[in-house]
Amino acid sequence: MFVLAPTVDHERSPSVLSISTRTMAAVPLLLEYVQHTDAGARAAAIEALSSLDTSGDPRLPAAFSRAFDTALAIDDLETRMAVVDGTVKNASDDSRTLLRRIAASDPARVVRQRALNGLGGGFASPEETALRIADARRLVSIYEPGSE
């Protein structure tokens, strides 16, 4: 087992989170990092919490929900994907509620689909800002022989 040394400056070393993922004693620190200002540190904390056996921990859905809202505001796809993966592993009613909210509201189809898969299936509709077929044809037409 690894634990964080008390002399480590956690603000300057978010990568140190990978060291702390081997012990349940790290859960409070990781929960703090879920709200970190750095997107990479947030994603690492969520992934670290997901790697621990924290099934049913009532603190996780609330922390993951706040992290999802923050990641959604700054368009951080990596953190949103980590939130979905972590929420799927936390088998609780609050986690299922969060997955339903993500599946209904996330702008990225890949995140919505992953949330739906965690809920047991379904098909995520395409993004509203998806490329139209006519636009796609026009874009690829420059590569077709004789289209000049």
Side-chain angles (χ1 to χ4, degrees):
M1 277 196 275
F2 297 101
V3 291
L4 296 175
T7 58
V8 174
D9 182 4
H10 303 298
E11 274 303 306
R12 293 193 187 153
S13 304
S15 63
V16 79
L17 289 175
S18 62
I19 297 170
S20 67
T21 63
R22 313 282 194 293
T23 176
M24 291 300 289
V27 171
L29 175 65
L30 292 171
L31 284 170
E32 287 179 31
Y33 268 96
V34 168
Q35 299 306 311
H36 199 277
T37 56
D38 179 58
R42 271 195 311 274
I46 292 166
E47 290 169 1
L49 282 167
S50 300
S51 71
L52 296 173
D53 183 21
T54 55
S55 295
D57 189 330
R59 299 173 293 181
L60 295 187
F64 287 173
S65 180
R66 288 189 304 272
F68 174 75
D69 292 338
T70 302
L72 195 58
I74 62 170
D75 198 29
D76 178 13
L77 183 64
E78 179 185 359
T79 299
R80 294 187 338 249
M81 296 286 278
V83 165
V84 170
D85 292 342
T87 303
V88 167
K89 291 179 183 176
N90 183 277
S92 71
D93 290 336
D94 290 338
S95 293
R96 293 187 62 77
T97 301
L98 177 58
L99 284 173
R100 281 191 288 275
R101 181 171 73 100
I102 293 169
S105 66
D106 198 282
R109 181 179 186 191
V110 66
V111 177
R112 291 192 316 267
Q113 186 62 55
R114 196 173 280 195
L116 285 171
N117 289 345
L119 288 167
F123 182 72
S125 61
E127 290 90 348
E128 292 178 14
T129 59
L131 189 62
R132 296 180 319 153
I133 296 295
D135 293 334
R137 283 188 189 129
R138 191 175 64 216
L139 287 171
V140 298
S141 69
I142 63 170
Y143 297 108
E144 294 176 3
S147 64
E148 295 176 15

